[in-house]
Amino acid sequence: MVEKYTVGICLVLAIFFFFGMGSAGVASPLASSPVTSTPVSNTTPAVSTSDVYTAPIGAFTTSDVYAEPNTTYDIDYLFYSRGYGPGTVTCNVSAYDFFGYVPDDELTASMVPSVFTVEPGHVYHSRLHVVTGQAFASPKKLNSPIYRISTYQINIDLNITLQNDTFNYGDDSVSIRGGAFIPGLPAVESDRLTIPENDTAFDLQTGESYSIPLEFSRGQGIGNVSYNISDTSLNVTVTPAEFVSRSAQSYPAQLSVHADRSLTPGNYSFTLDAAGASGIESPYSRVFFVNVTAPAEVPTQSSLPIAFVVFAVIVSGILLRDRPIY
């Protein structure tokens, strides 16, 4: 009886280890496996909707002007109401230099109109009216220790107040410069499109997606920017795809690339173009290269070991059926 008991236990263990361990190397295509693959993606989180895309926004069309004494200058100001309105917009300006607020015989500044009513979804035009006086860029100031090491400059700040103190991005400033023109001043402000260098070429399996962070910064002024994608077999989207941007602000976005399961593995490319951008920080068109591969095979557990284990248990039961109880 002991021999039958020992034979049964050995039979169970042998069959279990032989078929259980042997089946670990069996693989099947991902398409026939119930295992769901994890999308290929970088660790940058999706960009959430920010008020830089929704709050009222405004800016001057230029940020620097070279001026002469006894001269009049008008600088355009554009205000995008977006979702704000109906309501009023109030403009307040102040002028100052290194010594403090400037006197009227040096410069005066005002917004025309200084108060206006807006409706949602419209663009409104105002202007900064600047008049320089006889004392503008006077020899006394130009020969001061401060201006001997810096160009003569008066800053004009604009403060925008909306009805009910609604939050906005309407404040801006302009520099009025005088005296001898110094080459290179003011520094050239350029739009910038920032994309992680390692994200312009990557691998992607069919059925998966990849996310890339973008950031646009406008050098000066205000205007529309839209992201355009060239023709490609990949599914490529940008969120947001179009927006209004102004100077002194950054605008994050998310570029998403998806390869359909039916897409043939191979090398693909597409071009992203930021229409409306300009400056020396070009190019504003970037080419992306994507190597699309087939899904990787994943291990699956064969159903054969289970059947043999059941069989072994049955055989062991038969062998041990007549074993006496001590």
Side-chain angles (χ1 to χ4, degrees):
M1 291 301 174
V2 175
E3 290 79 4
K4 290 184 178 181
Y5 177 78
T6 304
V7 170
I9 294 299
C10 293
L11 181 60
V12 172
L13 293 176
I15 294 177
F16 176 78
F17 280 102
F18 178 79
F19 289 99
M21 298 301 293
S23 63
V26 178
S28 63
L30 186 62
S32 62
S33 171
V35 178
T36 303
S37 62
T38 302
V40 176
S41 175
N42 54 6
T43 57
T44 303
V47 177
S48 61
T49 303
S50 172
D51 55 12
V52 297
Y53 295 110
T54 58
I57 187 174
F60 292 114
T61 55
T62 186
S63 58
D64 289 274
V65 174
Y66 265 94
E68 299 289 339
N70 300 316
T71 311
T72 298
Y73 300 90
D74 287 317
I75 302 170
D76 291 328
Y77 176 83
L78 299 179
F79 182 84
Y80 292 73
S81 61
R82 288 176 167 171
Y84 171 72
T88 58
V89 178
T90 303
C91 308
N92 294 291
V93 295
S94 57
Y96 61 93
D97 62 8
F98 289 108
F99 298 96
Y101 290 100
V102 300
D104 290 346
D105 64 344
E106 191 171 358
L107 180 145
T108 61
S110 60
M111 292 293 292
V112 182
S114 60
V115 179
F116 50 94
T117 302
V118 301
E119 297 286 340
H122 289 77
V123 183
Y124 296 86
H125 173 250
S126 184
R127 69 180 187 275
L128 176 65
H129 184 67
V130 178
V131 179
T132 59
Q134 185 64 37
F136 180 81
S138 64
K140 178 181 179 181
K141 284 195 173 182
L142 292 178
N143 293 329
S144 69
I146 293 179
Y147 290 115
R148 285 178 180 175
I149 60 175
S150 175
T151 180
Y152 176 83
Q153 175 180 320
I154 295 177
N155 297 314
I156 302 177
D157 288 347
L158 169 66
N159 176 259
I160 295 294
T161 304
L162 304 185
Q163 195 170 329
N164 299 324
D165 292 327
T166 301
F167 179 80
N168 68 91
Y169 289 107
D171 294 354
D172 205 358
S173 62
V174 174
S175 295
I176 309 298
R177 303 175 187 270
F181 179 81
I182 300 178
L185 290 176
V188 177
E189 297 290 344
S190 174
D191 298 346
R192 289 180 175 86
L193 176 62
T194 304
I195 301 173
E197 183 177 352
N198 294 336
D199 283 336
T200 56
F202 53 90
D203 296 332
L204 187 62
Q205 292 184 3
T206 56
E208 295 181 343
S209 300
Y210 192 80
S211 297
I212 302 170
L214 311 176
E215 186 174 87
F216 178 82
S217 301
R218 183 171 291 280
Q220 66 175 339
I222 187 170
N224 292 291
V225 175
S226 59
Y227 291 118
N228 300 320
I229 306 297
S230 64
D231 292 336
T232 178
S233 298
L234 300 164
N235 293 327
V236 184
T237 58
V238 183
T239 306
E242 185 176 1
F243 54 93
V244 178
S245 66
R246 53 153 292 168
S247 58
Q249 278 187 336
S250 296
Y251 297 84
Q254 185 98 335
L255 174 67
S256 297
V257 183
H258 178 76
D260 288 337
R261 292 186 180 277
S262 59
L263 189 64
T264 302
N267 294 318
Y268 296 85
S269 65
F270 63 90
T271 301
L272 169 72
D273 177 66
S278 61
I280 63 174
E281 295 290 337
S282 59
Y284 299 109
S285 294
R286 303 290 177 84
V287 180
F288 294 79
F289 300 92
V290 185
N291 177 34
V292 177
T293 59
E297 294 184 343
V298 296
T300 59
Q301 187 69 28
S302 173
S303 59
L304 291 178
I306 299 177
F308 277 96
V309 168
V310 173
F311 174 76
V313 171
I314 295 175
V315 172
S316 299
I318 295 174
L319 296 173
L320 300 175
R321 181 178 54 185
D322 299 327
R323 179 175 181 268
I325 301 175
Y326 296 99

